[in-house]
Amino acid sequence: MPSPQAHGLPEPTTRAGRAALEALLTDPAKALTAFDFDGTLAPIVADPLTSAPHPGIVAALAELSTLVGTVSVITGRAAATAVRLGGLDRVPGIIVLGHYGAERWAEGRVIAADPPPGVALVRAELPALVDASGAPEGTWIEDKGRSLAVHTRRADDPDRALELLAAPLAELAQRADLQLEPGRMVIELRPQGVDKGAALTSLVEERAAQRVLYAGDDLGDLPAFAAVAALRGRGVPGLTVCSSSDEVTEVADAADLVVPGPAGLAELIGRLTERIRVRGPGA
């Protein structure tokens, strides 16, 4: 039997990753494939409201969706925002879990519970806090509805801005009973009890998936990587993929397979789809 690499697929660096890729190729109809949005499907940009997927990657997901059991996106964004910015409604049957799993978009409908009261507290106090922190000009607040994020990428000294904000944001998060989520030039305050790992595990169980692939790029994706490891312990083969960057090396260190950013992920999805088609179901 030809190896996946014989057909252009990169080889995972771990034994568990190689076994998971083989399992996915052997029976793709039982697979769940899940992807982060920003930094994974879409390049990171200075203004997240202008984010867009890497060219061709949504079309590649649409093709993949005809061959695997489930295609999903798990993002810190609002589910409807990810769908709108990404044109994800072009992917047949896709499930988009927004706000780390607190929202669900499927077949044109969003299902979500009300946000906790701490979000309103943060919304009221955050502008004054950022001003008082001394963070440099260019630091700005994104209101995601169920969470709020402070971005420093546009600031003259993004790292210094993060340093100045870390302690006051931690104190505000504690008072609001929210969780602090660091990321790539951003700190987010979001509800407790939700993360991408719990969202991924729940979706795998719901879909009765028997193999799983998760791709991400940032610290918020590490709980999903941990969930994949836990699923392996329950007999579900799992492959973790890092859409790499120079900003967050921890994710690459934790992944079974590293690809060069969204462009590399688009190529991986295309080659995976091609390999499944060549191999045929159950081959």
Side-chain angles (χ1 to χ4, degrees):
M1 178 182 297
S3 71
Q5 294 69 46
H7 294 269
L9 275 171
E11 183 174 9
T13 58
T14 64
R15 179 180 298 179
R18 292 190 292 272
L21 178 57
E22 178 62 27
L24 192 159
L25 292 170
T26 300
D27 199 347
K30 295 178 181 176
L32 183 146
T33 57
F35 306 89
D36 168 51
F37 187 77
D38 293 287
T40 302
L41 296 180
I44 295 291
V45 292
D47 183 353
L49 300 180
T50 66
S51 181
H54 181 80
I57 203 166
V58 175
L61 289 178
E63 280 198 65
L64 183 65
S65 73
T66 68
L67 300 171
V68 300
T70 304
V71 171
S72 61
V73 169
I74 305 177
T75 174
R77 286 186 183 266
T81 299
V83 172
R84 175 176 55 81
L85 291 174
L88 299 178
D89 51 352
R90 292 180 286 153
V91 181
I94 192 170
I95 297 172
V96 180
L97 302 181
H99 286 298
Y100 303 89
E103 291 184 349
R104 178 188 180 111
W105 182 100
E107 299 179 349
R109 295 181 57 220
V110 174
I111 300 173
D114 292 335
V119 173
L121 172 64
V122 169
R123 183 174 291 117
E125 295 191 14
L126 192 55
L129 182 151
V130 171
D131 288 343
S133 72
E137 185 177 352
T139 303
W140 67 284
I141 298 168
E142 180 186 9
D143 190 334
K144 299 184 176 183
R146 299 185 66 89
S147 65
L148 289 96
V150 182
H151 295 266
T152 68
R153 186 173 295 275
R154 300 179 193 166
D156 293 337
D157 188 343
D159 292 333
R160 177 58 177 161
L162 290 174
E163 290 175 7
L164 291 170
L165 288 163
L169 287 179
E171 189 275 333
L172 177 59
Q174 184 175 22
R175 283 195 293 111
D177 194 27
L178 297 181
Q179 181 169 328
L180 210 63
E181 184 71 52
R184 295 169 65 176
M185 312 286 184
V186 62
I187 302 176
E188 185 171 353
L189 293 88
R190 62 177 176 84
Q192 302 272 10
V194 292
D195 63 43
K196 292 183 179 181
L200 178 63
T201 301
S202 178
L203 192 59
V204 167
E205 292 171 350
E206 173 197 326
R207 304 293 292 176
Q210 296 182 26
R211 49 269 287 133
V212 61
L213 178 153
Y214 183 84
D217 76 301
D218 207 346
L219 297 176
D221 296 301
L222 291 178
F225 280 21
V228 171
L231 286 164
R232 288 172 181 164
R234 292 160 48 182
V236 178
L239 173 66
T240 55
V241 179
C242 171
S243 171
S244 67
S245 75
D246 295 332
E247 295 175 354
V248 184
T249 58
E250 296 97 318
V251 183
D253 293 341
D256 301 307
L257 177 63
V258 179
V259 297
L265 182 65
E267 183 176 358
L268 174 65
I269 294 169
R271 292 186 181 278
L272 182 62
T273 300
E274 178 186 2
R275 182 66 193 104
I276 292 172
R277 289 194 189 282
V278 168
R279 191 162 183 168

